[in-house]
Amino acid sequence: MSSEGETAPKVAIGISFGNSYSSIAYTSGEAKVEVIANELGDRQIPTVLSYVDGEEFQGTEAKSQLVRNSKNTVAYFRDFLGKDFKSIDPTNCHASAHPVDAENTVSFQIKDTEADEQNTRTIHEITTRHLRRLASSATDYLGKKVNAAIITIPSDFADAQKDALNKAATAAGLDVLQFITEPVAALLSNDAKLNENSTEDKNVVVADIGGTRTDIAVIASRGGMYTVLATAHDYELGGAQLDQALIDYAAKEFMKKNKTDPRTNDRSLAKLKLEAEAVKKSLSLGASAAFSIESLVD
């Protein structure tokens, strides 16, 4: 039994917090890193929150709500942290809850309680809820309360964005031990897998093709120290563009037999998007994949 005033032991996890997907991991006693599955068995957890009659859904369950409950489903919000409303590009949110300006803070109007009325929730609140759910999943998996984290961030995250993320993590009950830029985290992971113990100097190009953006970094490795030398960012190229190519192909095939364009209906388009992403992942593993959707239109 801990004495009064004694602080709780640090139980830390790693969090990869992406615009499209998040992941959580911990280091075992054998110094091996293991990615933790959430309650649904997902190790790649969609960065999505959805609300139905006051009940909160996260991850795959929330993402499926984009078809039938898009206005109460918040997605693609990571990059809005620490920014004023006028500076954001809301394009990726067109199929989900739209960001709104609340005193120049990015917010979302959603029905997240049992009452049939919309509430305005800030980006801080949404991020806090997401991080809290990730920590809860890790706590359930590990059997001990998670209260600290190392979090990955884009290499172009401004100080205001880091500060906003730190505040959201603190509100979620997490002490941020360190921020690591995504390309450095990727290189660390790669070197660990290769048991890279060499002190030989090297320059490495890390390409991160994400769901909504692409980031490139040149990193210098010098005796186990990593330094980012240069970065480039494309906010209009990512997995979403690959999905769109598949959506357009499937829609045209559908229109050969039917006169209706499924892209003109929000519900049908949401179904197309979910299936296109699944097909894209299948094509990453094999030469062909089935594009199949039940009740696409009417």
Side-chain angles (χ1 to χ4, degrees):
M1 196 163 104
S2 59
S3 60
E4 192 174 335
E6 191 176 314
T7 57
K10 281 277 192 294
V11 178
I13 58 171
I15 296 177
S16 173
F17 178 20
N19 258 326
S20 303
Y21 288 90
S22 297
S23 294
I24 45 181
Y26 81 105
T27 304
S28 67
E30 294 79 37
K32 290 184 178 180
V33 175
E34 181 176 345
V35 178
I36 299 170
N38 68 359
E39 296 81 358
L40 299 175
D42 296 325
R43 286 181 165 79
Q44 226 185 359
I45 304 166
T47 306
V48 184
L49 291 173
S50 187
Y51 298 87
V52 180
D53 296 328
E55 184 176 359
E56 182 180 80
F57 296 92
Q58 188 202 38
T60 301
E61 284 185 328
K63 193 168 185 175
S64 67
Q65 292 292 325
L66 286 169
V67 174
R68 62 184 72 89
N69 186 34
S70 60
K71 291 183 179 179
N72 295 312
T73 302
V74 185
Y76 305 113
F77 56 85
R78 194 274 312 270
D79 280 356
F80 298 157
L81 265 173
K83 290 187 175 182
D84 58 58
F85 182 80
K86 293 178 182 177
S87 69
I88 70 165
D89 179 3
T91 302
N92 294 311
C93 298
H94 284 171
S96 57
H98 285 213
V100 296
D101 187 356
E103 297 180 359
N104 207 32
T105 298
V106 180
S107 302
F108 299 87
Q109 289 182 334
I110 51 177
K111 294 179 182 177
D112 58 347
T113 64
E114 292 185 11
D116 189 26
E117 61 183 32
Q118 286 189 327
N119 298 301
T120 302
R121 304 302 183 193
T122 65
I123 183 65
H124 168 80
E125 291 175 286
I126 295 297
T127 303
T128 297
R129 291 178 181 185
H130 178 61
L131 294 176
R132 187 181 290 128
R133 289 293 297 267
L134 293 177
S136 175
S137 295
T139 293
D140 291 344
Y141 186 93
L142 297 173
K144 45 191 174 183
K145 178 71 172 175
V146 170
N147 54 17
I150 294 173
I151 305 177
T152 62
I153 56 173
S155 54
D156 64 343
F157 241 37
D159 288 342
Q161 293 177 282
K162 294 177 189 176
D163 183 56
L165 179 52
N166 187 51
K167 288 178 179 176
T170 300
L174 294 171
D175 178 16
V176 178
L177 302 179
Q178 187 179 359
F179 288 128
I180 299 181
T181 60
E182 291 168 336
V184 170
L187 185 54
L188 276 167
S189 174
N190 181 71
D191 286 352
K193 288 178 182 175
L194 297 175
N195 293 317
E196 188 71 65
N197 295 317
S198 172
T199 57
E200 181 182 351
D201 291 353
K202 59 182 179 180
N203 293 334
V204 183
V205 176
V206 179
D208 177 6
I209 304 176
T212 60
R213 56 185 279 182
T214 293
D215 302 283
I216 307 293
V218 179
I219 303 174
S221 176
R222 304 285 187 267
M225 298 293 291
Y226 297 93
T227 305
V228 177
L229 300 179
T231 61
H233 311 277
D234 189 333
Y235 302 100
E236 297 179 358
L237 174 64
Q241 280 64 48
L242 303 178
D243 295 343
Q244 190 61 50
L246 288 167
I247 289 168
D248 292 340
Y249 174 82
K252 289 172 183 176
E253 289 295 307
F254 181 82
M255 290 167 63
K256 288 179 182 178
K257 298 181 180 179
N258 306 274
K259 293 182 180 180
T260 305
D261 186 345
R263 293 168 296 185
T264 60
N265 178 284
D266 288 345
R267 188 183 178 97
S268 300
L269 181 58
K271 287 185 176 183
L272 278 170
K273 285 183 176 180
L274 291 176
E275 180 65 11
E277 186 178 352
V279 169
K280 174 185 66 180
K281 292 179 178 179
S282 295
L283 289 172
S284 297
L285 301 172
S288 63
F291 202 116
S292 176
I293 302 173
E294 290 185 13
S295 305
L296 178 57
V297 179
D298 297 329

